[in-house]
Amino acid sequence: SGVISEVTLGSGTQASERDLITGLSKPAGLALVGDQLFVSDQGAGKILAYSLAAVRAQPGTAGSGRVVVEFTSADSLDLITASTDGTLYFGSGAGSLYSVDSKGVLKTLASGWPGIRGVALDTANKRLFVAVTAEKTDGPASIRIVPID
């Protein structure tokens, strides 16, 4: 099963690792806004939210996370990014780009692309950089720029 762990660096070459969230199907992305840790669980088709302080105090499970948005596993949710207001941006292997605001309102920002492997936010210029898979196996992948409000 999939796990989210925290690595703590000590002095010199010392480090320690501990599990924060267990029982995930296939965690693919993380975003942090304040104390809220968001996890895209690709295998379950969900984006889950956890209090970082709470899972540091007592490890959480896939079932203890708050479901922010749910798709099918076939949608293949991938990497996510977040703005400081709590809006999450993410894509799917099915080729759609989404946002979900802090109130849970889901919007489709783009669709019809071959697949999306990652999203990066440029807050200063109000745009997303979206890594789009190639249409054909031997074709080129691309980075698309999407303006946001």
Side-chain angles (χ1 to χ4, degrees), residues 29-106:
L30 296 173
L32 185 64
V33 179
D35 180 58
Q36 289 293 291
L37 176 63
F38 297 96
V39 179
S40 64
D41 190 351
Q42 191 176 70
K46 298 177 184 177
I47 294 181
L48 303 166
Y50 299 85
S51 160
L52 182 58
V55 296
R56 281 179 166 160
Q58 175 70 39
T61 65
S64 68
R66 176 177 57 86
V67 177
V68 175
V69 66
E70 187 169 2
F71 293 81
T72 68
S73 59
D75 289 311
S76 190
L77 299 180
D78 217 305
L79 303 175
I80 58 177
T81 190
S83 64
T84 55
D85 70 358
T87 301
L88 303 175
Y89 299 95
F90 56 96
S92 71
S96 294
L97 175 67
Y98 302 100
S99 70
V100 62
D101 68 18
S102 59
K103 295 176 182 142
V105 177
L106 177 70

Side-chain angles (χ1 to χ4, degrees), residues 11 14 20 34 39 54 58 65 92 108 124 138:
S11 59
Q14 299 296 315
L20 297 179
V39 179
Q58 175 70 39
S92 71
T108 301
D138 60 347

